[in-house]
Amino acid sequence: MKVQELSVQTEVGHIGEILSEAQKKRGILIHALQQIQKEYNYLPREALEALAKKLDIPLVELYSTASFYKHFYFSPRGRNVLCVCMGTACHVRGAGKIVERLKEHFGIGEGETTPDMSLTLETVGCVGCCGLAPVLTINEEVVGEVGPGKLEEIIQAIKEHK
Ligand code: FES
């Protein structure tokens, strides 16, 4: 009985070593991706190629890992990121009209950035403030009860703070 337990512990110990190596590499990779995005506000291809080479990881594996996480971006983003909640409560209370007004005013579609890089327009599912619907976030700051008047103030503020 004791010999069997020892054997199991040895196997688990070995697997533990393998896992810790994989986890270590993954931890370094995620940290490096975060640092690159912090520097450039997205993940430029050249930076990813350099990182893949440095870590001796196939570029496709690096892309696969980065695309698993929603907070990594592969194209440049604006200095302001405006994200309209399209969850049910916000949808019912006019989120679609907010998106249309923003598209019309800034001349961009969802997921796009203005040519002067002042704004990226995005949409998202419920952000967890349904009682304040319709809701949007500006650079991750939540703004609720966005009626037509408040929306025009937001548009003006973005134009003034390019
Ligand atoms: S649906 Fe918009 S905050 Fe919940």
Side-chain angles (χ1 to χ4, degrees):
M1 186 68 174
K2 284 190 175 183
V3 171
Q4 201 174 15
E5 282 175 9
L6 183 62
S7 171
V8 170
Q9 283 174 356
T10 302
E11 286 301 313
V12 170
H14 181 64
I15 290 170
E17 283 171 28
I18 292 169
L19 280 177
S20 69
E21 276 305 306
Q23 286 172 330
K24 193 172 160 186
K25 201 166 188 176
R26 188 176 178 82
I28 291 168
L29 174 59
I30 298 299
H31 180 71
L33 291 171
Q34 288 170 333
Q35 292 305 306
I36 292 169
Q37 184 155 291
K38 190 175 174 186
E39 176 79 18
Y40 299 99
N41 207 18
Y42 78 109
L43 301 174
R45 182 179 174 87
E46 300 76 24
L48 294 182
E49 286 172 351
L51 180 62
K53 201 170 183 179
K54 186 84 177 170
L55 294 179
D56 195 25
I57 295 173
L59 187 59
V60 66
E61 188 182 322
L62 199 148
Y63 267 103
S64 170
T65 301
S67 58
F68 178 78
Y69 298 95
K70 273 195 108 177
H71 64 275
F72 287 126
Y73 302 97
F74 298 99
S75 57
R77 301 175 87 219
R79 290 181 293 283
N80 297 293
V81 178
L82 196 157
C83 190
V84 181
C85 177
M86 295 300 286
T88 305
C90 291
H91 176 73
V92 168
R93 302 201 68 183
K97 286 182 182 167
I98 292 174
V99 172
E100 288 311 310
R101 174 69 183 125
L102 291 166
K103 282 180 177 177
E104 174 193 85
H105 184 89
F106 291 102
I108 54 174
E110 293 175 41
E112 293 180 354
T113 300
T114 55
D116 67 358
M117 301 303 288
S118 65
L119 179 73
T120 295
L121 175 62
E122 296 178 343
T123 57
V124 69
C126 180
V127 295
C129 310
C130 307
L132 298 175
V135 171
L136 54 78
T137 62
I138 304 173
N139 302 327
E140 299 187 5
E141 181 186 330
V142 175
V143 181
E145 299 177 332
V146 181
K150 194 181 269 188
L151 181 58
E152 294 311 312
E153 286 174 21
I154 290 167
I155 289 172
Q156 199 57 39
I158 290 170
K159 282 170 63 179
E160 288 171 7
H161 298 98
K162 284 184 174 183

